[in-house]
Amino acid sequence: MSIDIETARKVAKLARIRVEPDALPALAAEFSAILGFIEQLNEVDVNGIEPMTSVTPMRLKRRDDVVTDGNQQAAVLANAPDAREGFFAVPKVVE
Amino acid sequence: MTDLTKLTIAAARDALRNGDVTSVELTEACLKAVDAAATLNAFVHKTPEIAMAQAKGADNRLKLGMSPDLCGIPLGIKDLFCTKRVPSQAASRILEGFKPEYESTVTDKLFTAGAVMLGKLNMDEFAMGSSNETSCYGNAVNPWRAANDSANLTPGGSSGGSAAAVAADLCLGATGTDTGGSIRQPAAFVGITGIKPTYGRVSRWGIVAFASSLDQAGPMTKDVRDAAILLGAMSGHDPKDSTSADIPVPDFEAMLTGDIRGKTIGIPKEYRMDGMPDEIERLWATGAAMLRDAGAQIVDISLPHTKYALPAYYVIAPAEASSNLARYDGVRFGHRAKLAQGDGITEMYEKTRAEGFGAEVQRRVMVGTYVLSAGFYDAYYNRARRVRALIKRDFDEVFAAGVDAILTPATPSSAFALGSMADADPVEMYLNDVFTVTVNLAGLPGVAVPAGLDAKGLPLGLQLIGRPWEEADLLNIAYSLEGAADFVAKPAKWW
């Protein structure tokens, strides 16, 4: 399957990665090569086979639904590029 | 004692307990070796103050007796592991400046056992790569060079720094992680031992996530015994990782008897690839003969879906990566792009991720986004997960038929020159994982053992694949192979 420039632009947008317009043709070509490789999967007969959800046949552990952690505002914010007054700060989201 | 850095973990443990050496002496020797090996670019964040404090603590503990195996042993830690207040960047610009406020379960276990951290090790960005060339720190360099050739070679990837550091005797052992071969391929490229345990054996908590259903951490060491010791210390159930198995961890080292009489070893015909170098074919046959001579029964087996493992992997791993890496948005940690007047939150995300992620990471995130997008989810992602189920079934059937372990080459070639794949198609680089990736898809344990040198004088490894949770048996077979192969070559020091 060949990926066109418009599809590459759309995927970049969905992935929230800025790709300059002049870089899109090369990106589309790379996607096409990778997807061409993946196309081999169409040769496999997967009738009646369920998609794998867990590689080991075990039930996920459960625990009581209780608070086990908290009161660590300073630690949570310690690595933020911009933290103010106990919050993460971001550009204006609503006008 | 001379050449302290060349000691195995087992030998150093015994020397520490006997009082022949102190952890401070051992650690100082390693720190000196690390400083002298800057050219290899294996250690990317050095932590000498932490190391010396841990070494002094370990010496005090050793004096009291009853210390754990790793007490006082200097290790290197892959940059993918979060280490408290120490840079943990996954070799990515997007995590520049990130110092976790917490400790990964694995490093916490190692430090509780008394291990000493020398620093953080180079790797491919977010563990996406097979040559350590996607790192934001620049390439790690293989301590091995081809005969009469001064070209710098790749130590493999993604755990390239771990491989280079152990092979060059900068540390006694290192942690690695393996999503498609990232412990075993670099181990093979530098002539050391590396094991990826069964999925769920080692907690993933605090390890930067790449593809959560495939990622497992494991040890990279100078020999099989050391792998058994270090794996034992890394393993065990962790309430913070719901996929970590709540089953007992055997004493892996105690089970290294070297007696493999009566074991059945499978040789899968699908691993005989077109264009495979003769020397790898020969090494594989020699390995099988060694196991036969040790009393194992060698049988031909078939794993019919092998061919589809790489394409399935290159759907599943990028899909999971695109989801896991969504968290790098410039809000909570790491890099945030400088914004222009009027830029909103979407521009912040897009610019931050374009600046922060390297080309290979961007490519995989976008491929993952594509295969998960509306209209393609079934055709790509679900189909790949079905094929994955078939790949696992291939192994289940072989094990049910009585096979104890499977012998394969570890890599399709020896280490290649850094830069030599620069113009290659991304898919060509992916072929490095052709023998290892099946093991991650099936959740099995796999170990790479150095088994010989090629015509260029570079190490080649063999891989043994075991039954789920049977790492002890697997390591014992590896131990037997190691004894027979008697790989003792070391890289000539040029750095």
Side-chain angles (χ1 to χ4, degrees), chain B residues 29-89:
Chain B
C30 286
L31 289 171
K32 218 170 116 192
V34 168
D35 283 338
T39 343
L40 298 180
N41 201 22
F43 278 88
V44 288
H45 297 286
K46 297 187 237 177
T47 55
E49 292 85 12
I50 293 174
M52 289 311 293
Q54 286 173 328
K56 284 175 191 149
D59 280 334
N60 288 333
R61 207 164 149 188
L62 280 155
K63 276 184 213 134
L64 301 173
M66 299 293 289
S67 55
D69 287 334
L70 289 181
C71 192
I73 303 290
L75 301 175
I77 305 295
K78 189 177 182 180
D79 199 37
L80 204 63
F81 292 79
C82 285
T83 42
K84 194 168 184 173
R85 306 221 168 93
V86 172
S88 305
Q89 256 182 268

Side-chain angles (χ1 to χ4, degrees), chain A residues 73 77 83-88:
Chain A
Q73 191 187 53
L77 294 173
R84 297 176 206 170
E85 298 164 40
F87 293 94
F88 294 110

Side-chain angles (χ1 to χ4, degrees), chain A residues 4-54:
Chain A
D4 58 23
I5 290 168
E6 181 51 26
T7 307
R9 195 194 58 76
K10 218 182 284 176
V11 171
K13 183 82 195 164
L14 277 174
R16 296 287 184 271
I17 297 174
R18 169 158 300 203
V19 177
E20 298 304 329
D22 58 352
L24 284 173
L27 188 66
E30 282 173 1
F31 285 168
S32 297
I34 295 168
L35 291 170
F37 179 64
I38 291 167
E39 298 282 294
Q40 293 177 66
L41 295 177
N42 292 331
E43 299 165 13
V44 186
D45 178 6
V46 293
N47 267 323
I49 305 295
E50 284 299 307
M52 182 188 281
T53 48
S54 168

Side-chain angles (χ1 to χ4, degrees), chain B residues 198-432:
Chain B
T198 313
Y199 183 80
R201 179 61 93 184
V202 174
S203 169
R204 292 180 295 108
W205 195 85
I207 301 173
V208 173
F210 162 13
S212 305
S213 79
L214 301 161
D215 298 344
Q216 266 291 287
M220 299 175 71
T221 54
K222 296 177 189 182
D223 65 15
V224 173
R225 178 173 300 279
D226 283 7
I229 295 169
L230 192 47
L231 179 61
M234 293 169 75
S235 298
H237 176 246
D238 175 13
K240 288 188 283 196
D241 174 2
S242 62
T243 62
S244 83
D246 195 1
I247 55 172
V249 178
D251 183 341
F252 298 120
E253 189 190 8
M255 293 173 79
L256 299 179
T257 61
D259 182 359
I260 61 162
R261 282 173 299 176
K263 294 288 174 193
T264 302
I265 310 293
I267 309 291
K269 66 169 193 251
E270 291 80 7
Y271 283 59
R272 195 154 281 118
M273 298 283 165
D274 287 343
M276 190 156 91
D278 284 347
E279 25 191 17
I280 291 193
E281 186 108 29
R282 275 202 302 278
L283 181 83
W284 191 12
T286 309
M290 287 170 180
L291 294 174
R292 186 186 296 116
D293 290 346
Q297 189 196 353
I298 308 295
V299 296
D300 288 322
I301 59 167
S302 173
L303 298 164
H305 294 91
T306 299
K307 180 186 166 198
Y308 301 106
L310 266 181
Y313 176 84
Y314 277 97
V315 174
I316 292 165
E320 294 185 18
S322 77
S323 170
N324 273 327
L325 271 58
R327 75 191 67 181
Y328 304 103
D329 55 6
V331 175
R332 287 155 298 161
F333 33 68
H335 178 76
R336 177 187 290 188
K338 278 212 165 49
L339 301 181
Q341 196 68 36
D343 276 354
I345 196 153
T346 305
E347 286 79 10
M348 183 192 75
Y349 296 150
E350 292 181 344
K351 287 183 175 179
T352 295
R353 289 161 66 81
E355 287 178 7
F357 292 146
E360 180 62 23
V361 173
Q362 292 193 19
R363 190 153 47 227
R364 295 205 201 182
V365 166
M366 288 192 270
V367 166
T369 302
Y370 180 76
V371 299
L372 290 176
S373 63
F376 298 104
Y377 187 92
D378 231 34
Y380 289 110
Y381 184 62
N382 271 342
R383 174 165 282 267
R385 289 196 302 144
R386 288 193 165 91
V387 173
R388 184 178 180 186
L390 289 169
I391 289 164
K392 181 171 188 299
R393 196 176 69 184
D394 287 352
F395 283 104
D396 290 345
E397 285 172 357
V398 162
F399 291 135
V403 167
D404 293 294
I406 297 164
L407 181 74
T408 78
T411 57
S413 72
S414 59
F416 47 91
L418 287 162
S420 64
M421 299 282 278
D423 299 323
D425 195 278
V427 172
E428 278 181 61
M429 187 66 101
Y430 299 168
L431 293 175
N432 263 289

